[in-house]
Amino acid sequence: ITPMDQYANLNKVRPHVIIPEKKLINLGKNDLAFHPEFKDMKVLFDEKRMKIIQNVGYANPDLSHFRSSDIWQSASDYGEFISSGWLGRLVEHEHPNFPGSYPNSQYPDPLAIELGYSNSLLLTGNKTFPGFISGSPENIKEILNEFDSTYPNSYAGDKLKYVQTIAKQSNLYSSVLRDAYLKGNHSFQFPNNDLGQQFYTLSRLIRGGLNTRIYHAITNGFDTHHFQVTPDDHTQGAHAKLLKNINDCIIALIKSLDETGDSDRIMLVTFSEFGRRIVSRSTYGTDHGTAFPMMIFGNNLNANVLGKNPKIDPAITWEDNLPAEFDFRQIYASIIEQWMNGDNLTLKDVLTKDYLQVGLTKEYADDDQDGVLDKYDKC
């Protein structure tokens, strides 16, 4: 997402990766433009189904992949180490009796789903892991034959009871996932790769009537220190392929859910562990950076662009980074209240601190677009 009012300075400090101005897709608002591979994102932006929040980060940013990923997934401060994820804590807050009494008649479906083959910190709770890991639901088999044993009231007995509970729960959840996946069959085409498969599975589960509230998909490859672009054509290269994949996955998902009316029920949020440095490398790439734009998609958005275009000083050095305008936990707090129907107790329990919200949904106005909701704004 290029700030066009800064293009001349960007051209000076990012000559190795800058996209030619005439190739960019101008949004006509806020002096912003998209990469040429984001052509479908432009359609969603014009339809007010895409929101851009510029300059999202946190104080004292860490540029380690592992530590920064932990910070973003746990919603912790730089010097704070938390072993649970904010979405895992949110699920636990809403379902304090999980896993013992789940599934049940009110909540027969998984509470959260990892669309891959391993659990993340994001969906790890304080007490348990309330997510369900699902690769291909069509091929899910029972992990164990049904068993119902009685165990002693001891430390070891408690552990065995827990294993038995999870085994039974996994078999039940596998069955409802398989049924929803088969019921949600459609002919929309998704990219033939890992992220495309995750999004294809997601589309079928939602279309099939699964009432899971949270899904987590992941893709990688954006750590483009070298050859982010091809030297003779900056619109091509590794980064262009990655952005095309994101574009194609999101538009296919939304089109597939538009057909059944399910797109009204989703909010799709993108995040990464960090952005990229302002100054480009002579190897046609970029190094780890700080603040970056988050993209949010849905039919019920307050679609105004939030945040100011970053100012690019032509005299900056390779060590300089973009300052954060919004703390990423402001976005999390806004999602919890405005989309997940959380209250002040939920926010306190999940995020532990108070964060000023931004307007994400149509019901939460920010008329002067300063990033402060009207109900909090003292302007």
Side-chain angles (χ1 to χ4, degrees):
I1 301 174
T2 304
M4 298 306 293
D5 57 341
Q6 303 294 305
Y7 190 86
N9 288 344
L10 280 169
N11 203 29
K12 293 176 182 176
V13 301
R14 292 173 73 80
H16 312 98
V17 299
I18 191 77
I19 304 294
E21 186 172 4
K22 64 181 180 180
K23 298 282 188 177
L24 290 166
I25 303 173
N26 199 299
L27 298 186
K29 292 181 180 178
N30 297 69
D31 285 322
L32 293 175
F34 280 158
H35 189 282
E37 293 293 358
F38 257 27
K39 59 183 182 300
D40 292 312
M41 300 300 97
K42 172 62 163 61
V43 174
L44 295 177
F45 183 85
D46 289 343
E47 293 174 346
K48 299 187 183 302
R49 298 206 282 174
M50 176 184 186
K51 186 175 188 68
I52 298 168
I53 307 176
Q54 305 203 77
N55 312 315
V56 183
Y58 58 94
N60 302 312
D62 192 296
L63 299 184
S64 156
H65 284 289
F66 307 103
R67 178 63 189 136
S68 191
S69 292
D70 286 350
I71 289 170
W72 271 83
Q73 294 192 44
S74 65
S76 60
D77 288 329
Y78 166 76
E80 183 181 26
F81 294 85
I82 299 176
S83 58
S84 62
W86 74 277
L87 282 175
R89 297 194 298 273
L90 176 60
V91 175
E92 281 189 339
H93 174 87
E94 295 180 335
H95 303 274
N97 295 322
F98 183 90
S101 57
Y102 289 77
N104 54 50
S105 58
Q106 187 177 4
Y107 297 102
D109 301 338
L111 304 178
I113 289 178
E114 294 272 8
L115 291 162
Y117 297 94
S118 63
N119 61 299
S120 68
L121 178 62
L122 185 69
L123 287 176
T124 300
N126 285 315
K127 298 181 295 182
T128 186
F129 180 74
F132 185 83
I133 302 168
S134 172
S136 177
E138 190 173 22
N139 298 320
I140 286 177
K141 301 289 190 291
E142 285 194 358
I143 59 171
L144 289 169
N145 294 327
E146 284 293 341
F147 61 99
D148 192 5
S149 302
T150 302
Y151 298 102
N153 187 21
S154 64
Y155 178 81
D158 289 344
K159 298 300 180 186
L160 290 169
K161 289 176 192 175
Y162 180 79
V163 171
Q164 180 171 278
T165 297
I166 297 302
K168 287 184 174 182
Q169 185 187 82
S170 296
N171 286 339
L172 291 169
Y173 281 159
S174 296
S175 177
V176 298
L177 248 71
R178 185 166 53 246
D179 291 347
Y181 184 82
L182 294 174
K183 184 180 178 182
N185 191 26
H186 61 74
S187 59
F188 288 90
Q189 295 299 307
F190 285 74
N192 185 26
N193 53 43
D194 183 54
L195 186 65
Q197 181 58 50
Q198 292 177 64
F199 269 62
Y200 176 65
T201 299
L202 171 60
S203 68
R204 288 186 60 164
L205 292 177
I206 295 175
R207 285 172 59 108
L210 202 72
N211 284 309
T212 296
R213 295 194 74 189
I214 299 168
Y215 297 86
H216 179 217
I218 187 169
T219 188
N220 55 28
F222 285 88
D223 194 25
T224 49
H225 295 277
H226 312 283
F227 294 103
Q228 176 174 317
V229 300
T230 56
D232 57 344
D233 184 355
H234 290 183
T235 66
Q236 302 299 311
H239 194 62
K241 291 177 182 177
L242 291 163
L243 292 183
K244 176 173 171 51
N245 195 35
I246 295 288
N247 176 92
D248 294 353
C249 283
I250 290 176
I251 197 66
L253 174 68
I254 291 178
K255 282 183 176 179
S256 71
L257 299 182
D258 278 347
E259 184 180 63
T260 56
D262 289 307
S263 54
D264 287 340
R265 304 195 298 121
I266 67 163
M267 176 182 284
L268 175 63
V269 181
T270 67
F271 73 96
S272 182
E273 70 267 41
F274 41 61
R276 309 301 291 181
R277 286 278 168 88
I278 303 168
V279 174
S280 60
R281 293 171 57 99
S282 60
T283 54
Y284 300 97
T286 52
D287 287 331
H288 301 179
T290 54
F292 63 90
M294 289 180 71
M295 300 179 294
I296 301 179
F297 302 87
N299 293 354
N300 293 288
L301 295 177
N302 171 354
N304 294 330
V305 175
L306 282 185
K308 302 179 179 66
N309 288 0
K311 300 299 181 185
I312 307 299
D313 185 341
I316 61 172
T317 71
W318 67 272
E319 295 177 300
D320 291 317
N321 269 302
L322 294 177
E325 184 177 353
F326 299 101
D327 188 293
F328 70 104
R329 288 156 297 194
Q330 291 181 255
I331 318 305
Y332 293 171
S334 306
I335 293 168
I336 290 171
E337 179 176 318
Q338 299 172 35
W339 188 250
M340 305 295 285
N341 301 316
D343 54 20
N344 288 335
L345 180 60
T346 310
L347 290 167
K348 198 71 174 178
D349 196 25
V350 174
L351 298 179
T352 71
K353 301 173 186 175
D354 294 325
Y355 294 96
L356 195 63
Q357 293 183 37
V358 299
L360 293 187
T361 64
K362 291 177 180 177
E363 294 78 18
Y364 286 74
D366 174 25
D367 288 338
D368 58 5
Q369 299 186 42
D370 65 350
V372 181
L373 300 183
D374 289 352
K375 66 178 183 177
Y376 302 127
D377 208 336
K378 296 180 172 60
C379 293

